[in-house]
Amino acid sequence: AFSRGGKVQLLDEGAPVTGGKFLTLRRQGDRVYAFWWSHEKAKSLYFRTSTDGGNTFGPVQNVQFDNGILPTYEVDIDERGRVFAVYTDEREPGYQIYFNRTDDAGLTWRTPDVRLDVAQRITTEVGKTGGQASEPHLARIGDTLIVSWQEAGVREKKNFSRLIVRVSSDLGNTWAPAKAIFESDKVPSSMRLTTDGKSVFLSGDV
């Protein structure tokens, strides 16, 4: 639900499912953007936008198209109302990191979305084989997008985790190769990707 001036609106009204978790609100001028995730029926990331400061909202949109999305996700919005999103997806075996953007404040999203990770396919304890990429984070400096995530891998029968960064200098139209910046036999946690407008900072616990 979204409340302003005593008026309460149900953001999931008109969505394929009701309810959800991980609500994210962003504001850019008179535009208010609402994202939320639902596990019901299909694991999806939903989105609505308001162009009048939250008095009314447009129809519910689905950010990604093949379902299977999992938290966490992150979004960023530029001055022109272009919205950028990264999220964990399981449309293929294991978990992958995908990117999508909308150039018209959420009316339409690009299809297909773009897979960013190149995670090693490994077999987990429960016998499932696939890439193990998770915890995507997103930062923007001007036209440059920076996405980080963590991947699990196996080398010489030993598990390891590494932090990966991938950069786009044209707001997600093209991407430089993924680059590993940290590796450990421990799993990082509480990761954060932030920027001061000039530099990017990645922090967390190991």
Side-chain angles (χ1 to χ4, degrees):
F2 177 86
S3 176
R4 181 184 179 185
K7 178 183 178 181
V8 178
Q9 300 179 70
L10 299 178
L11 294 175
D12 57 353
E13 187 174 10
V17 298
T18 57
K21 300 178 180 179
F22 307 105
L23 175 66
T24 297
L25 293 175
R26 295 286 188 272
R27 182 165 186 171
Q28 186 68 257
D30 288 334
R31 294 184 182 272
V32 178
Y33 305 85
F35 296 82
W36 70 95
W37 176 82
S38 176
H39 189 275
E40 297 298 324
K41 294 186 179 179
K43 304 166 189 173
S44 296
L45 179 60
Y46 297 106
F47 169 83
R48 293 185 77 176
T49 183
S50 168
T51 59
D52 56 12
N55 290 312
T56 60
F57 281 84
V60 177
Q61 306 283 337
N62 193 331
V63 173
Q64 104 303 349
F65 304 95
D66 290 317
N67 296 322
I69 191 174
L70 296 173
T72 55
Y73 69 88
E74 284 199 359
V75 296
D76 188 271
I77 302 165
D78 73 1
E79 297 76 11
R80 294 174 53 184
R82 293 176 293 194
V83 183
F84 314 98
V86 292
Y87 41 89
T88 307
D89 196 289
E90 57 177 358
R91 71 188 70 174
E92 298 180 16
Y95 306 105
Q96 307 89 43
I97 305 300
Y98 281 83
F99 165 84
N100 206 343
R101 61 176 276 184
T102 169
D103 298 329
D104 52 16
L107 296 177
T108 59
W109 292 82
R110 294 190 175 185
T111 179
D113 48 4
V114 179
R115 182 175 176 179
L116 296 181
D117 75 281
V118 288
Q120 176 189 6
R121 292 177 62 87
I122 63 175
T123 301
T124 66
E125 292 81 357
V126 294
K128 293 185 177 181
T129 300
Q132 302 295 316
S134 61
E135 298 292 331
H137 298 281
L138 173 65
R140 181 178 60 86
I141 301 177
D143 289 346
T144 299
L145 297 177
I146 306 97
V147 178
S148 69
W149 66 88
Q150 59 191 55
E151 293 182 358
V154 176
R155 183 186 300 116
E156 297 178 353
K157 298 182 179 181
K158 293 183 179 180
N159 296 331
F160 68 91
S161 295
R162 58 182 183 175
L163 298 179
I164 309 294
V165 169
R166 199 163 183 184
V167 176
S168 170
S169 59
D170 54 12
L171 294 176
N173 290 310
T174 60
W175 292 86
K179 181 179 181 180
I181 62 171
F182 179 80
E183 185 174 308
S184 174
D185 58 354
K186 299 180 176 61
V187 179
S189 62
S190 303
M191 301 305 303
R192 293 190 62 191
L193 183 68
T194 58
T195 177
D196 62 0
K198 296 181 179 179
S199 301
V200 176
F201 308 94
L202 181 61
S203 61
D205 299 326
V206 178

